[in-house]
């Protein structure tokens, strides 16, 4: 007859187990840290871009909106609106 095994057999982890919860928590922390490292500088950049972009309107308006200038003006205005929206929470 065979003797009982003294080694502990590893059981496969089941979804929803404590190991999955721990891994999920760590994944969330890593993702949160990476997102924070990207979002904070992006908000700062957009905040300052929203301040600087209106200065580019002046030459366009002084020269008059001729040729492709209306398209450039609308592009600058759109970029300014996006920068205002994204940068609105900078340093809050």
């Amino acid at each position: 007859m065979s003797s009982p095994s003294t080694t502990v057999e590893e059981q496969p982890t089941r979804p929803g187990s404590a190991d999955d919860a721990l891994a999920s928590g760590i994944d969330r922390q890593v993702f949160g840290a990476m997102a924070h490292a990207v979002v904070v500088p992006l908000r700062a950049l957009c905040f300052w871009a929203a301040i600087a972009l209106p200065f580019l309107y002046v030459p366009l308006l002084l020269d008059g909106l001729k040729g492709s200038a209306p398209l450039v003006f609308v592009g600058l205005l759109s970029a300014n609106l996006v920068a205002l929206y994204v940068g609105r929470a900078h340093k809050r």
Side-chain angles (χ1 to χ4, degrees):
M1 297 221 197
S2 67
S3 63
S5 174
T6 57
T7 61
V8 177
E9 293 181 20
E10 291 187 30
Q11 297 178 356
T13 58
R14 293 174 284 140
S17 69
D19 291 335
D20 288 342
L22 178 62
S24 175
I26 291 172
D27 288 344
R28 277 193 217 122
Q29 287 177 343
V30 169
F31 179 74
M34 287 174 32
H36 185 72
V38 170
V39 169
V40 171
L42 181 65
R43 280 186 182 155
L45 177 71
C46 287
F47 175 81
W48 290 107
I51 292 172
L53 280 173
F55 290 106
L56 298 177
Y57 300 159
V58 176
L60 284 173
L61 295 174
L62 288 177
D63 190 34
L65 296 176
K66 301 177 236 168
S68 65
L71 186 60
V72 173
F73 181 75
V74 170
L76 279 172
L77 186 62
S78 299
N80 196 204
L81 291 174
V82 169
L84 281 168
Y85 182 73
V86 175
R88 76 188 186 285
H90 176 59
K91 293 285 185 182
R92 282 196 177 181

